Amino acid sequence: MFWSEFLLLAGAHLLALASPGPDFLLLARSSLRHGRTYGLAVSLGIALANGLYIALAIGGWSVLQDSPALLVALQWLASGYLAWLGWMFIRASRASADWPDMVAIAHAQRVSPLLGMSAGFLSALLNPKNGLFYFGLFTVIVEAHTGLGRKLFYGVWLACAVLAWDAALVCLIAREKVVVALGRAMPLIERCAGLLLLVAAVALAAGRLR
């Protein structure tokens, strides 16, 4: 029983992690532009926000489901944050055009890891789909009679999986060979990522206006 439940939970979570989204775009851009340390800080922020949603799901506090007004507010905040993030990406792409050496960029544009952690935390926290995903995951897969100790184990595993997955992506993307290879394409990468985030923001806002 334990293993079947755990494998279903971990498998569904892994599939969700493998699906690119705003968090992935933020990780990729952060790692390329600011280096491994900053990227890992972003990973930690994302994992902390996911951990918060997991804790709420384990505690049975379905505040997002029981408070439609809060869910709507989160969706509007998420839309605004994604739009702001997309615009920042596009604006940064213009400056990148004058910086063909991406290794030099990564060293020259060091910023506080705390800013990276905050950016990652906000990116994951302001995505209401994360909260609904974990609530759904624990509701559908985890049996009602499953003990608290086992649920806590699941929660720790899921939060650590988020951190490990994102950290692995950062370490892969921030390798010097990858940074150099993508250096000349950096303006295009940032511009495309920014446009995708803006489209996601508009789609989220349009969904609320229906």
Side-chain angles (χ1 to χ4, degrees):
M1 179 63 186
F2 165 74
W3 284 109
S4 60
E5 189 175 71
F6 172 70
L7 289 176
L8 279 173
L9 193 72
H13 187 236
L14 181 61
L15 289 175
L17 286 177
S19 303
D23 291 347
F24 172 78
L25 294 176
L26 179 62
L27 276 175
R29 189 260 183 181
S30 299
S31 303
L32 285 171
R33 177 168 283 276
H34 300 301
R36 182 181 289 109
T37 300
Y38 185 87
L40 291 175
V42 174
S43 301
L44 179 59
I46 292 172
L48 288 174
N50 277 262
L52 177 59
Y53 277 128
I54 292 168
L56 293 177
I58 292 174
W61 183 28
S62 55
V63 63
L64 290 179
Q65 293 172 316
D66 297 335
S67 303
L70 179 58
L71 178 58
V72 170
L74 273 177
Q75 288 176 326
W76 278 115
L77 282 172
S79 177
Y81 181 72
L82 289 177
W84 175 81
L85 203 59
W87 170 244
M88 293 298 291
F89 279 23
I90 293 173
R91 191 175 72 171
S93 71
R94 298 172 182 172
S96 299
D98 299 326
W99 291 67
D101 187 353
M102 287 307 300
V103 176
I105 291 179
H107 286 287
Q109 297 193 1
R110 298 290 184 185
V111 291
S112 171
L114 287 176
L115 292 177
M117 188 171 66
S118 299
F121 184 81
L122 286 174
S123 176
L125 185 68
L126 292 177
N127 186 353
K129 291 182 179 179
N130 286 336
L132 295 175
F133 170 73
Y134 287 114
F135 285 130
L137 205 61
F138 276 86
T139 300
V140 174
I141 297 179
V142 180
E143 298 290 341
H145 60 267
T146 299
L148 179 59
R150 188 180 294 180
K151 288 181 179 178
L152 289 175
F153 171 76
Y154 292 160
V156 171
W157 173 273
L158 295 177
C160 289
V162 172
L163 180 59
W165 178 272
D166 289 346
L169 286 176
V170 168
C171 290
L172 176 64
I173 295 170
R175 293 178 60 188
E176 186 170 320
K177 290 182 179 180
V178 176
V179 174
V180 171
L182 296 177
R184 296 186 181 280
M186 185 62 179
L188 179 61
I189 292 172
E190 286 189 319
R191 201 169 296 123
C192 290
L195 287 174
L196 286 174
L197 290 172
L198 287 174
V199 168
V202 171
L204 186 57
R208 296 311 319 160
L209 293 174
R210 289 179 184 175

